[in-house]
Structures are given as C-alpha cells and as structure tokens.
C-alpha cells in the first residue's frame, strides 16, 4: 500500500534479473524510445501518476537528483496515468526538467511486477535490475537509492 514503509531490495549483479525491455514515448520530444536504447549508463526508472500523492511528493526530489546525476545516468520518469495529456500538463505546470515518459502501463506493470506506486528501479549499464523500491522516498533516501547505480 502507498502508506507502508518503502520496501527496498538489492540484487547482486551475478544474480540480478535482466530488465524487461520496453518502449515508451518521451513526452517532451514526442520520440518513441526503448530501454534498450539507453546503453552505457545506469538507468533510474520511476513509475508514478498524477493522481498519486506520494508519487507527486517525490517529484521535487527526483528533479534535484536529475540535475545532479543526469550526466552519470539516464532517467525515465514513467507515468501510469490513463492518458499522456495529464502527466504532460502536470510536469509542464511544475517546470520539471527530467524526462517524462508514457507507455503501456498494464504491460509494464506485469513485466516489472508492480502492484503499487511509486515504484523505482535502477537498471545497470548492462541491462540488469540492481535495485527496486516501492513507496515514496525523501531526498536522502532517494540519494542513497541512486548511489546503488555506481
């Protein structure tokens, strides 16, 4: 549930599962991208929605960390809203600069085993899930989570 403590899991690289590839639309550019396009750097994926208060609450922290880490890792902030207009308008109204994405959230939820949001993942540069957390993070817990990528 959204109000429980965040559950974090970290896998050793040797046992880490391969991250399921997926396509998504980057809302600022309108480009269709795939996770597999993002080679060479770790990837932070955050599943969120405009109607989810804990999700919206962690976006300012994600914005700060995006400014700090965008040269070291890729960011996919993936909306599970029912349409792409709501998250696009929301992000624009807040002035966030991180890349906001929209994809087939039912398929993604199944592929990534998501049963609650916000849910965040770190994918290694070679495409393995190395960390996962369900629940919202404050700035310091988000920073600690992102450190697992390096």
């Amino acid at each position: 549930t959204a109000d429980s403590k965040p559950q974090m899991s970290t896998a050793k690289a040797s046992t880490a599962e391969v991250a399921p590839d997926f396509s998504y639309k980057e809302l600022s550019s309108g480009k269709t991208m795939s996770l597999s396009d993002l080679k060479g750097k770790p990837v932070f994926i955050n599943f969120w929605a405009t109607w989810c208060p804990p999700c919206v609450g962690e976006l300012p922290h994600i914005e700060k960390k995006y400014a700090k880490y965008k040269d070291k890792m890729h960011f996919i902030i993936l909306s599970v809203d029912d349409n792409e207009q709501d998250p696009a308008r929301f992000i624009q109204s807040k002035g966030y600069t991180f890349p906001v994405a929209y994809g087939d959230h039912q398929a993604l939820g199944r592929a990534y085993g998501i049963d609650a949001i916000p849910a965040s993942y770190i994918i290694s540069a070679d495409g393995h899930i190395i960390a996962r957390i369900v629940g919202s993070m404050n700035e310091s817990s988000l920073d600690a989570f992102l450190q697992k990528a390096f």
Side-chain angles (χ1 to χ4, degrees):
T1 60
D3 46 42
S4 62
K5 282 265 181 260
Q7 301 294 310
M8 191 180 308
S9 61
T10 306
K12 295 275 178 274
S14 58
T15 61
E17 62 184 292
V18 173
D21 195 18
F22 62 91
S23 294
Y24 61 93
K25 181 178 180 181
E26 202 167 67
L27 294 183
S28 60
S29 66
K31 285 193 304 197
T32 299
M33 306 271 295
S34 293
L35 178 62
S36 56
D37 295 337
L38 306 177
K39 292 287 185 221
K41 291 195 276 191
V43 181
F44 169 71
I45 306 173
N46 175 265
F47 293 94
W48 73 288
T50 57
W51 45 261
C52 164
C55 301
V56 170
E58 81 183 345
L59 294 177
H61 309 308
I62 292 172
E63 177 69 17
K64 275 188 186 164
K65 298 310 167 190
Y66 175 68
K68 181 176 179 180
Y69 292 114
K70 64 183 176 186
D71 297 333
K72 296 183 179 137
M73 69 191 312
H74 298 288
F75 282 69
I76 304 173
I77 312 307
L78 205 135
S79 167
V80 299
D81 281 280
D82 289 332
N83 63 65
E84 61 188 65
Q85 292 78 30
D86 291 344
R89 274 195 298 267
F90 180 85
I91 293 300
Q92 192 172 20
S93 75
K94 298 291 187 189
Y96 293 135
T97 60
F98 51 72
V100 179
Y102 189 79
D104 180 345
H105 54 83
Q106 269 97 14
L108 283 166
R110 284 190 299 276
Y112 279 83
I114 296 167
D115 51 15
I117 57 171
S120 298
Y121 292 78
I122 293 181
I123 314 299
S124 64
D126 66 357
H128 291 81
I129 297 173
I130 53 175
R132 170 181 193 253
I133 189 166
V134 177
S136 65
M137 293 179 274
N138 63 25
E139 190 172 345
S140 61
S141 59
L142 177 58
D143 204 50
F145 183 71
L146 293 175
Q147 289 303 318
K148 296 175 183 305
F150 307 113

